[in-house]
Amino acid sequence: MNHPDLAFEIDPQRLLLEGMETGALPDLKPLELAREYAQELAQGSGGENQIVRWWHSPGGFYYEFKQFPAAFYGRSGLVQGQYLTPQEAQVLVWDALTRADKDQADLTLFYTANLMQSDQDFFMVYTLGQMRIERGEARYALPLFMRLKLPQYLLVLFRSNDEYLVFKLPQGQPVLLQIRA
């Protein structure tokens, strides 16, 4: 049984954001073994919408983007999701937008299946080095996917049809790039 304090997480988002800014995609090959392990741990319940698929089980949690599988997240350990009403999901989105501004948290919202074709499809705000970067258009519409990264936890919201599922994932031990496949 996994203990929450011993949970590991694999999160290449920082590498992907740096790559987006420099124009060079990062080499995620060193993370492949950890990624496969995280996928295996998460096999159980799951779901998908137009842009992302996810799995969760008592052993872990994993999501990946359908059109861009390099954008993924995985963690070991017990995770529990919670279904929200549309009103509760709306409050969560409003709170995330406020936290991103007030707490300088990293926030990603995808509103449409077009991902990043126009500014209305997405909103991202994050800090790289000392620079705060904002892309897309912040809207109060309910997204297909939301990711709010705070120092203590990661909050992930998925919308599938008219269902909203949120996971609050405590900070795990990161998988180091030095771990080679």
Side-chain angles (χ1 to χ4, degrees):
M1 183 168 127
N2 291 322
H3 190 275
D5 294 337
L6 301 176
F8 79 85
E9 68 179 3
I10 178 169
D11 187 2
Q13 178 149 336
R14 175 76 32 207
L15 297 171
L16 294 171
L17 293 174
E18 289 170 0
M20 193 165 61
E21 294 304 321
T22 63
L25 287 178
D27 178 17
L28 299 179
K29 210 169 208 145
L31 298 175
E32 195 57 38
L33 188 59
R35 178 185 181 161
E36 289 173 15
Y37 183 61
Q39 281 179 302
E40 186 179 308
L41 288 175
Q43 293 304 310
S45 297
E48 67 179 78
N49 61 24
Q50 295 94 318
I51 60 173
V52 70
R53 59 178 68 92
W54 62 91
W55 298 270
H56 58 95
S57 74
F61 172 82
Y62 182 84
Y63 74 76
E64 68 183 12
F65 280 79
K66 293 177 178 181
Q67 294 177 25
F68 189 55
F72 69 92
Y73 173 88
R75 74 171 281 118
S76 66
L78 182 63
V79 297
Q80 292 183 327
Q82 176 184 354
Y83 284 98
L84 302 177
T85 65
Q87 295 80 12
E88 291 168 327
Q90 187 68 72
V91 169
L92 190 70
V93 171
W94 289 340
D95 182 60
L97 287 164
T98 301
R99 304 272 320 250
D101 186 45
K102 180 180 160 229
D103 299 336
Q104 300 288 295
D106 289 357
L107 176 64
T108 302
L109 294 153
F110 286 105
Y111 300 105
T112 72
N114 296 331
L115 293 179
M116 300 172 81
Q117 291 180 17
S118 82
D119 284 350
Q120 292 192 349
D121 294 328
F122 74 104
F123 176 70
M124 298 173 78
V125 60
Y126 50 92
T127 303
L128 287 178
Q130 301 299 316
M131 189 175 1
R132 190 75 172 158
I133 299 166
E134 190 173 303
R135 294 180 173 273
E137 185 177 308
R139 301 181 341 181
Y140 287 104
L142 285 168
L144 290 168
F145 173 84
M146 180 184 86
R147 174 192 159 108
L148 175 67
K149 178 78 170 175
L150 295 161
Q152 309 83 0
Y153 61 88
L154 174 68
L155 193 68
V156 182
L157 174 71
F158 302 106
R159 182 179 92 203
S160 181
N161 299 319
D162 289 327
E163 291 187 327
Y164 302 89
L165 180 60
V166 65
F167 291 89
K168 185 176 181 180
L169 306 159
Q171 189 72 32
Q173 292 296 322
V175 171
L176 303 175
L177 281 176
Q178 290 76 15
I179 297 175
R180 301 283 176 192

